[in-house]
Structure formats: C-alpha cells, structure tokens
Amino acid sequence: MHIVVCIKQVPDSAQIRVHPVTNTIMRQGVPAIINPFDVFAIEEALRLKDRLGGRVTVLTMGPPQAEDALRKAIAYGADDVILLTDRAFAGADTLATSFALAQTIRKIGEEHPVDLVFTGKQTIDGDTAQVGPGIAKRLGLQLLTYVSAIDALDLEERSITVQRRSEGGVQVIRTCLPALITMLEGSNQIRFAGMDDMFRSARLTVPQWNKDRAGIEDVSKIGLKGSPTVVSKIFTPKPRAVKAQRIGADLDASGTANAILDVLSSQHPRLAQELGLITH
Amino acid sequence: MSENTAAPVKPKGKKRLELDPRLAAYKGIWVFVEMERGQVHQVSWELLGEGRKLADILNVELGAVILGGSSDELSAAARSAFTYGADVAYIVADPILTDYRNEPYTKAMTDLVNRYQPEILLLGATTLGRDLAGSVATTLLTGLTADCTELAIDPDNRGLLATRPTFGGSLLCTIQTLNYRPQMATIRPRVMAMPDAVPERSGRVISENLQMQEDDIIAKVLEFIPDEAQEQAQLAYADIIVAGGRGMGKTENFRLIWDLAAVLGAEVGGSRPVTHAGWLPADRQIGQSGKTVRPKLYIAAGISGAIQHRVGMEASDVIIAINNDPNAPIFDFATYGIVGDAVQILPVLTDALRSRLAVNRRAG
Ligand SMILES: Cc1cc2nc3c(=O)[nH]c(=O)nc-3n(C[C@H](O)[C@H](O)[C@H](O)COP(=O)(O)OP(=O)(O)OC[C@H]3O[C@@H](n4cnc5c(N)ncnc54)[C@H](O)[C@@H]3O)c2cc1C
Ligand SMILES: Cc1cc2nc3c(=O)[nH]c(=O)nc-3n(C[C@H](O)[C@H](O)[C@H](O)COP(=O)(O)OP(=O)(O)OC[C@H]3O[C@@H](n4cnc5c(N)ncnc54)[C@H](O)[C@@H]3O)c2cc1C
C-alpha cells in the first residue's frame, strides 16, 4: 500500500505576538512548524503502514525552507519525502495549490500507484480547508473529510470504512480506494521519533521537485495565473466609536453587581425580561 | 503559497479586467440551504438574509438550492426559504440525497450551477458546507473564499467583495474572484444576522432530477450516530454566554463561571489560553480559531479582548466585561465595563441575580 501525506509548513501561532499598537502580526523570529492539523494525518498514515505494510510518502509545496517540515516527517518514520518548490507556484490560491499537488501525486503514482492520500483538516494560516477536497476532485479520489477513525481497510477488496464528523453526529461511511482523507484533530497522538529515523532525517538530502519534474506543463494553472481569487485590499478593522460604559466605579462588589443588574433592567428590558430580572 | 501570502494583491492602476461575455451571462445569487436529517441548519437562513441584501443591490433574483431525499421536507424548506427572502427555490429530491454524501451532492449542485448560471453562490462554513464548497469550486474551476465575515458588491464591476480575517485576525483582507463564475464564498454560522421571516412572502419552485443512479455512487453510509445533546456545547446559538479567560487564574475558579451560567441558563465559553490549559473543553473556545457567537448577552470575565477573541463575539447584543485592568482592550468594545477582580465579583453577581430571580418568581 502506498500512502501520500500532504503537509504544509506554517508559522507557529502559539508564538505569534500581535503588536499592541499597530495591531499587526509580529512574525520575526516565529519558528515554522508542521501545520498542527497535519500531524494527525502523518500519524494515521504511519499507523496504517505499521498494520498493513507499504510505504508513506510525505509531500509539501512551499519555499526551500519547508524542507525542515519534511525532515521532521522522516524522523517520525515516513519513507520518502518530496519538496515541491518552484517560483512559478508563488501566489497560489487553493485552486492552484490543489492543481499543483494533484499533478505531483499523479506523477508520484506513475512509479508507485497511490492508494490513499491524507491531508490535515485545515491549516492554521490560510485556514480554508479547501485543498483536500480540491485534490480529491482533481484526481477523482473518493473524498472523506473530517475523519476521526478508520474502522476498516481491506486491501483485497480495496474498501475502506471510516467515521467522519458531520453536523450533529458521526457518519460511518464505506467506500473504495483510492481515497483522500482529511484527518480530524485529536484522533491520534503523534509518536516519538525513533533514533534510527532521527539519524536518517539528519543525513537526508530532501528531494526537490520543480514544476517540470512534477510534470506540470500548463503554467496558466499554477501560481498567480492559476488563481481565480485575488486579494484586492488588506486593512485594519475599524475601531468601535464608543467605549464601554463603566459600571460601579466607586462601589463595592455587591454594589457593582446590583448596579449592573439595574442597568440591564432599565436599558435592556426585553433581555431583562427573558432573564427573569423583571416581570413585565 | 510561499511566505504565506494569500493570493496576490491586485496591482494598483491596472486596467480593470473585463468580464468574459460568457461569464457575464451568469446572473443571480444563490444560497445553499443545508439540510441534514430533515433539519435546515440556521446558517442557511442567515445567508438568505444577507443574500437578499446583495440581490437587491444587484437587482437580481435570490435563489435557494435545496437538496435532499424527501420532497415533502424539501417543499417545507422551500416555503421557509421564501419567507426569509428567496425568490426561487431550486430543488433536487432523490432518495440518493437522503444522507449527505460528497459525490451526489457535488453532482446535483454543479449540474444546477451549469444549467442556471448564478453569479454568486454562498454556503455555510459548516463541516458539510466546507466539504461541498471545496468540491464544487474545484469541479467548476472557480474561486472560493473561506469563512467570510463581510460581503459587499463592488460598484464598479458588480463583483463580490468577500472579506475575511487574515492569519491571526489582526488584519482583514478583501478577496475577489475576477474572471471566473460563480463567485463562491463560505460564511460561518452566526456571522450574519438572522433575518425576520415574512410569512406572506412566496416564490417559484424549480425542480430538477439528479442525473445519477445509486449504483453510480461508491460511498455508502452505514450508520449515523447522533451526538448526545449534552456533550456538544450549543455555543454558537446560545442566547446567553458566560465566558472566562486567563484572568480567572486557575481551573478551580471556573466554578464561578459555571455557577453564574447555571443561574442565567447560559452556555459557558472561554478564550484560547483557557481551552489550551484544559480549564474548558476545546469545543468551548470562542474566537477566530474557535466558534463565532452572537448571543443577546455575553459576559467576559478575565478576558483581555485580543482581536482573535473579539472577532468571535463582538456581534453580541450586550457585552459585559469584568477585568481588573482599566486599560484592557475589551473595554474598547464592550457595552458595559466593570473594573475589578472577577474572582471576587462573579459570586456576588451570581447571588444578587439569584435573589432577584427568587423575588420575581414569588411575585409572579
Ligand atoms: C490570510 C489568507 C487568506 C486566504 N484566503 C483564501 C481564500 O479565501 N481562498 C483561497 O482559495 N485561497 C486563500 N488563501 C490562499 C491559500 O491559503 C493558499 O492557497 C494555501 O496554499 C493553501 O490553502 P490553506 O492554507 O487554506 O490550506 P487548507 O485548505 O486549509 O489545507 C488543508 C490541507 O491541505 C494540505 N495542504 C495545504 N497546503 C499545502 C501545501 N502547500 N503543501 C502540501 N499540502 C498542503 C494540508 O494537509 C492541509 O492540512 C489565503 C491565504 C492567506 C494567507
Ligand atoms: C492564529 C491565532 C488564533 C487565535 N485564536 C484565538 C481564538 O479563537 N480565541 C481566543 O480567545 N484567542 C485566540 N488567540 C489568542 C489571542 O491572541 C489571545 O492570546 C487570547 O485571546 C488571550 O486570552 P485571554 O484574554 O484569556 O488572556 P490574556 O490576554 O492573558 O488576558 C487576561 C486578562 O485577564 C485580566 N485579569 C487578570 N486577572 C484578573 C482578575 N483577577 N479579574 C479580572 N481580570 C483579570 C487581565 O487584565 C487580562 O486583561 C489566537 C491567536 C492566534 C495567533
């Protein structure tokens, strides 16, 4: 069985600070990490491999620095990695991103046919959750989003049964390979990197593919040109004109509590009535 | 993609792209009415309310797309859709569409779009809506803007201006889909206001068949396990929310939040540090990477009001903030501010409230 896992390198949001005055993000010195949602995809792929054998290839599209994310994937136990990197990909929206990734997966499959593709649920930066469905549609894969557990995978029958989160419940769904799974967070816990894999990771020269290597000829489908969406404006949200009305400035706790309840009762009678604060 | 820039900023002064005549034929605004298990998700009505405004600006019809297994349920949903502003309901009823499955829903939606050619297509940013939107946009090869917080029309070219927070939420960006149709966007539940129903409004129904047989579809739903109601926090649609932040100090102090919520009949929420620390379960996080809420009353205790929290709750009708720092940013946008120690004030407030409710109950 051959599994391809797509991961994205993103800035670590837990370490991002917002400038208190300008309200802009301070990116300097913020470390890049594997998109946290993608780590669940990596682990699930490795578990399937542990159980059923086969190989796991981890793929990312990004700038040359994104090779750090792939090195990490090798340390976790991935067999192969590919860094898809080319200036021609810059400025891609999700449609252009899914085209480039799908084309690369097709190319990977020419050597080792691909049975399953994993992605994360969404990224923490672009945060669209659109790339997974996009790849699936482009490759004609069965799409399984928000998967929390893989109940069964039968390589003879080429069938797969999963639990996926849907509105108001969990759907148990059965379909055929090849399929694309977007993995829900919290569904597993990433393993510790093994010694051997850490050495392998340290020694590895990360293979880089450009658009030609990925078999992409039509440059009108990638990068800026291949992106139907255009950012036309970036701006700061306008501040509210009125500030909060101060309640209980010179009262004790009990006085303050009663003051706020009085204000609700007098200024927001409908709300106060629903709360049961006033009776008519 | 590199440098995490979004799609590129349109160069200033560049000649405005003329819409391909083939695309100029696309007219009208559509909202996908999300039905699961016979229930319409409220986000669909919120989007019809918003879609109505856009349709009036463009002077076009507002369509509601309703897919499902039972024609009775679909007709009922269509009648509701009219009362919330739809002019036309596009209905595909087929037993194949009883449970949501990506393949037949994508097929039904893309066939409708190709046939009737709407210029704008809006979907709720729910699990179902995101699954479907991503598939439909890729199949149609058009642009899709995720999780918008604001929609408007560009007066110059009738295009959709879809605004969403950028990474970290401190900036907003407006995204346009220029030479592609339809222009697609997803919007989270509770971002748009619920419109008032106009009971006497009605509209046309257009029914289409699903061009698919059950045998064509590989995926089969084996089972649906509904959530146990009490397990899933019903935050997004709560009328009253009591939320705690890092300023609550420690996990034990959250009892004070729960106590007040119990007396108010409120849901409990929190900021990200609080869910990260495990003081509250993750599904109670409010904000950009949590839930968007719009309650009638939001009480924020020990929350600073960072922009990522603010975007998830600032549409609340009344916001009461309790914070011991008079300069906390939350006082810039709360309705009422109490400067003080939340750990001290909350139990007193709970008691004061409890005794007033008791008095009123005796009186009433
Ligand atoms: C602030 C901001 C807003 C944006 N808004 C939009 C928008 O509304 N519409 C739009 O079309 N584009 C948008 N973009 C562009 C979009 O972020 C990029 O196209 C990006 O390359 C992929 O989208 P995503 O990060 O949202 O990924 P998602 O669709 O959220 O990612 C889902 C999964 O796909 C896989 N994946 C995603 N990217 C890669 C990659 N480069 N390499 C390998 N695997 C990957 C990962 O497994 C990931 O978990 C926006 C970008 C930014 C920074
Ligand atoms: C990409 C990204 C996504 C994010 N998503 C979210 C999100 O969805 N939701 C979210 O909430 N945050 C989110 N954040 C984090 C956000 O930037 C803030 O860090 C967070 O909202 C702060 O939470 P807080 O207000 O509880 O804590 P703090 O900012 O630490 O504020 C604590 C407040 O409590 C006050 N305080 C202290 N003691 C007391 C007391 N005894 N009584 C009363 N007040 C007291 C302090 O004055 C202070 O104002 C995100 C950040 C990033 C970068």
Side-chain angles (χ1 to χ4, degrees):
Chain A
M1 183 174 51
H2 186 197
I3 305 176
V4 173
V5 185
C6 299
I7 67 171
K8 186 183 184 188
Q9 194 183 49
V10 296
D12 184 354
S13 81
Q15 303 208 27
I16 284 188
R17 293 282 167 270
V18 178
H19 193 280
V21 179
T22 60
N23 212 9
T24 52
I25 281 180
M26 303 189 285
R27 276 179 197 271
Q28 299 90 315
V30 174
I33 54 170
I34 296 178
N35 175 41
F37 293 113
D38 300 351
V39 173
F40 300 102
I42 296 176
E43 176 61 25
E44 204 61 31
L46 292 173
R47 286 186 186 185
L48 285 179
K49 181 194 149 181
D50 291 346
R51 227 166 71 210
L52 302 165
R55 63 196 298 147
V56 172
T57 303
V58 176
L59 165 67
T60 192
M61 175 173 97
Q65 311 85 283
E67 78 161 57
D68 294 344
L70 295 176
R71 237 175 247 292
K72 189 100 197 177
I74 287 283
Y76 286 135
D79 299 286
D80 299 296
V81 290
I82 293 167
L83 171 59
L84 182 63
T85 188
D86 196 312
R87 294 213 62 85
F89 295 133
D93 73 356
T94 56
L95 195 72
T97 299
S98 70
F99 175 80
L101 290 172
Q103 199 56 40
T104 307
I105 293 168
R106 198 172 275 138
K107 198 75 190 171
I108 294 171
E110 284 174 10
E111 241 169 87
H112 300 285
V114 176
D115 303 292
L116 256 184
V117 177
F118 275 97
T119 71
K121 178 180 85 164
Q122 64 198 56
T123 64
I124 59 167
D125 57 350
D127 185 27
T128 64
Q130 287 166 196
V131 171
I135 297 172
K137 289 293 135 180
R138 290 183 178 280
L139 293 175
L141 306 175
Q142 288 292 302
L143 173 62
L144 299 164
T145 49
Y146 305 103
V147 169
S148 55
I150 298 174
D151 286 347
L153 198 163
D154 188 327
L155 286 172
E156 296 278 290
E157 268 187 12
R158 297 193 62 71
S159 71
I160 181 165
T161 306
V162 303
Q163 298 184 23
R164 59 178 297 270
R165 168 121 300 272
S166 70
E167 294 300 315
V170 173
Q171 207 182 37
V172 183
I173 199 162
R174 179 188 152 99
T175 192
C176 284
L177 302 179
L180 182 142
I181 289 177
T182 85
M183 206 65 206
L184 200 65
E185 73 276 18
S187 40
N188 58 42
Q189 186 135 37
I190 189 72
R191 60 199 56 201
F192 289 107
M195 259 320 170
D196 290 354
D197 290 327
M198 290 209 307
F199 283 128
R200 201 158 57 86
S201 155
R203 280 196 304 265
L204 177 82
T205 313
V206 170
Q208 295 197 357
W209 287 22
N210 60 15
K211 65 173 174 32
D212 301 325
R213 177 68 183 84
I216 295 170
E217 282 155 18
D218 188 351
V219 290
S220 76
K221 293 203 170 112
I222 56 171
L224 239 164
K225 283 207 192 86
S227 299
T229 63
V230 187
V231 175
S232 59
K233 193 168 84 169
I234 297 182
F235 59 103
T236 42
K238 45 180 177 301
R240 277 216 192 170
V242 279
K243 292 208 169 197
Q245 179 184 333
R246 178 87 183 265
I247 304 290
D250 32 46
L251 299 173
D252 63 359
S254 157
T256 304
N258 280 297
I260 189 75
L261 295 179
D262 289 343
V263 168
L264 284 180
S265 304
S266 60
Q267 301 302 308
H268 308 275
R270 254 176 67 183
L271 173 61
Q273 210 170 336
E274 283 175 42
L275 296 178
L277 268 177
I278 53 177
T279 44
H280 48 82
Chain B
M1 114 259 153
S2 53
E3 309 308 309
N4 294 304
T5 45
V9 174
K10 190 172 59 179
K12 284 217 171 65
K14 203 180 118 187
K15 202 172 146 275
R16 191 168 295 284
L17 286 167
E18 277 305 317
L19 199 58
D20 185 317
R22 203 170 39 81
L23 300 177
Y26 281 68
K27 281 275 148 50
I29 297 178
W30 282 12
V31 168
F32 171 64
V33 173
E34 174 173 334
M35 285 239 280
E36 199 149 44
R37 331 230 103 223
Q39 287 278 16
V40 175
H41 197 297
Q42 193 181 308
V43 69
S44 312
W45 308 145
E46 295 160 11
L47 296 189
L48 280 174
E50 185 66 15
R52 183 70 260 164
K53 293 182 208 157
L54 302 179
D56 289 343
I57 295 172
L58 288 174
N59 198 17
V60 293
E61 283 190 329
L62 177 64
V65 178
I66 313 178
L67 314 176
S70 136
S71 13
D72 289 349
E73 279 172 10
L74 300 196
S75 305
R79 282 193 299 277
S80 301
F82 297 142
T83 69
Y84 289 116
D87 301 305
V88 200
Y90 297 88
I91 286 185
V92 184
D94 192 303
I96 291 175
L97 300 169
T98 302
D99 287 307
Y100 176 75
R101 282 178 293 173
N102 177 271
E103 228 179 322
Y105 270 69
T106 303
K107 168 89 175 141
M109 180 61 100
T110 49
D111 282 357
L112 283 175
V113 168
N114 285 329
R115 171 129 197 215
Y116 295 100
Q117 308 199 322
E119 58 200 298
I120 293 173
L121 172 56
L122 308 176
L123 302 91
T126 59
T127 51
L128 193 163
R130 283 180 161 212
D131 183 283
L132 182 61
S135 304
V136 168
T138 311
T139 308
L140 297 170
L141 298 176
T142 191
L144 170 59
T145 307
D147 269 1
C148 304
T149 52
E150 221 180 296
L151 299 174
I153 299 293
D154 185 338
D156 295 341
N157 64 3
R158 293 172 62 90
L160 178 69
L161 299 168
T163 298
R164 61 174 308 216
T166 62
F167 180 42
S170 55
L171 295 169
L172 297 171
C173 64
T174 300
I175 297 182
Q176 282 182 278
T177 294
L178 294 175
N179 226 349
Y180 301 80
R181 289 295 179 273
Q183 308 159 82
M184 291 181 60
T186 62
I187 298 97
R188 280 210 222 175
R190 294 308 254 168
V191 165
M192 301 300 174
M194 180 72 188
D196 291 325
V198 181
E200 50 289 351
R201 265 191 114 265
S202 81
R204 303 193 319 280
V205 173
I206 296 179
S207 292
E208 289 285 335
N209 294 323
L210 179 68
Q211 304 296 322
M212 255 185 158
Q213 306 299 321
E214 183 57 47
D215 288 349
D216 301 336
I217 303 160
I218 305 171
K220 307 289 174 199
V221 176
L222 304 183
E223 200 185 341
F224 184 87
I225 310 161
D227 292 329
E228 289 187 30
Q230 75 273 20
E231 261 182 37
Q232 280 273 328
Q234 295 299 320
L235 259 192
Y237 285 95
D239 279 336
I240 309 166
I241 293 173
V242 184
R246 180 151 46 194
M248 290 304 295
K250 53 183 177 188
T251 186
E252 292 78 27
N253 288 342
F254 261 74
R255 212 200 61 240
L256 307 175
I257 299 276
W258 288 99
D259 286 350
L260 177 58
V263 177
L264 284 168
E267 278 289 348
V268 169
S271 62
R272 189 174 76 165
V274 159
T275 54
H276 275 193
W279 297 357
L280 282 181
D283 63 350
R284 292 190 181 271
Q285 181 183 320
I286 292 167
Q288 187 205 344
S289 48
K291 296 216 161 62
T292 301
V293 299
R294 217 188 165 93
K296 294 175 182 159
L297 175 62
Y298 189 92
I299 301 178
I303 294 179
S304 61
I307 185 77
Q308 294 85 6
H309 188 78
R310 176 176 170 174
V311 293
M313 46 65 78
E314 68 180 329
S316 309
D317 292 344
V318 176
I319 299 169
I320 300 176
I322 309 174
N323 196 304
N324 62 5
D325 173 6
N327 297 316
I330 194 152
F331 292 130
D332 293 344
F333 60 95
T335 329
Y336 300 110
I338 296 173
V339 179
D341 180 359
V343 178
Q344 197 198 342
I345 290 167
L346 281 174
V348 180
L349 179 60
T350 305
D351 282 343
L353 184 69
R354 197 182 276 128
S355 56
R356 286 198 192 196
L357 297 186
V359 169
N360 287 345
R361 228 168 278 136
R362 238 174 293 141

